[in-house]
Amino acid sequence: MNAARPTAQHVLVINAGSSSLKYQVVDASSGAALATGLIERIGEKTGQVSHTVGDCDHEREVDVPDHAAAMAAMSEAFSEHGPDLAGVNLAAVGHRVVQGGPEFSESVLITPEVEAAIEDVSDLAPLHNPPNLAGIRAARETFSDLPQVAVFDTAFHRTMPAHAATYALDREVAQAHRIRRYGAHGTSHQYVARAAAHELGIAPEQANLIILHLGNGASATAVANGNSVDTSMGLTPLEGLVMGTRTGDIDPAVVFHLARTAGMDIDAIDTIMNRRSGLLGLAGSNDMRDVEAGVDAGDENARLALEVYCYRLRKYIGAYTAVLGRVDAVVFTAGIGENSAPVRARTLAGLESLGISLDPVANETRGTVRISTAESRVAVLVVPTNEEWEIAREAVAVLGG
Ligand code: ADP
């Protein structure tokens, strides 16, 4: 007897940035991507659409003055190269929204009130929420018959206890300006937490994990019983680990010093800390592959950059081990976490006293998920992240699927 096969629920996942829009049609149950695409240089004279279906890439230049035009260019790419969106039976459009502020602790169906609330917290993410909203509005026009769901990068971290989310800043000032630690990369941490628990053979709500999301942006999260209890990013993504172009943790007095002594204005300091520091500032490239090549070639700046990067990671692993008490696994994900064996090796070297013991051969073997030794009390895992699949799942869950 054949069991009835459930019909696939596809979600169009949209990640709208200020000058780019990424999209993907995802099967929410399997994670399979039917098509992926990227529209770049929104707002510039000539934009670029890259649309991939299966093994076929289709690229072309188009005029994309704004997000509405980008959405039209995306629809055109689907019409021309497939898949036919009417034929794949889309269940929803899922939107990545960077900042949900204090309001949103989970994904929601987008209504005019939700749009207003996202706009209201835009001051907390002025570079991200406005383009996210522009993407939502453009999608609402183009796909007026589909439910639109917002999935917040901060939502997973709303389980952080007050003692982890609160800065020891003047309470009235903090309250008046909604200053607290919100974290980011929540969608990735949530996906990876569940995937890591699956790999460990334990229920997600039992998993105690230290997750290291190391992409261009980077954050560490302490997960206790499946919930985020601390994360390294704060009010904004500037806090925490060393990143491609961001300082991560730094004495805030550096800002006063640069303003008073070097005469820099606040925008210049913002640019230095967010765009010209991190690996780029120390080694001249924000790409870890270049830094590793520099180390191999004997470049001292590259060597120091790698050491600073890994040392910061070790400090967070130590801190989060203290926060969690019992750690089931340290989990590496995103571009650097998934691909850089040297970063993993350098970060975990000598942490046997914390119960962490890396298997050097497994660490170098691409595609291996568990890279700790058989004796390691704490497992070390490499788990590829998949934020689009998580957004698709969240969208379906919001619709009661
Ligand atoms: P984003 O945060 O933009 O989504 P990714 O998660 O894709 O970034 O990570 C991008 C970064 O991953 C690159 O800038 C590079 O530093 C790093 N990376 C990618 N492949 C490798 C590799 N094979 N070895 C070391 N680092 C890598």
Side-chain angles (χ1 to χ4, degrees), residues 22 185 213-218 244 279 285-292 309 333-343 366 385 387:
K22 287 188 205 153
H185 290 150
H213 174 114
L214 310 178
N216 262 315
L279 295 176
S285 168
N286 64 331
D287 194 312
M288 186 55 85
R289 286 164 289 202
D290 296 337
V291 177
E292 287 173 4
Y309 188 93
T333 194
I336 296 171
E338 292 166 28
N339 295 300
S340 176
V343 165
R366 189 162 282 277
T385 191
E387 287 161 287

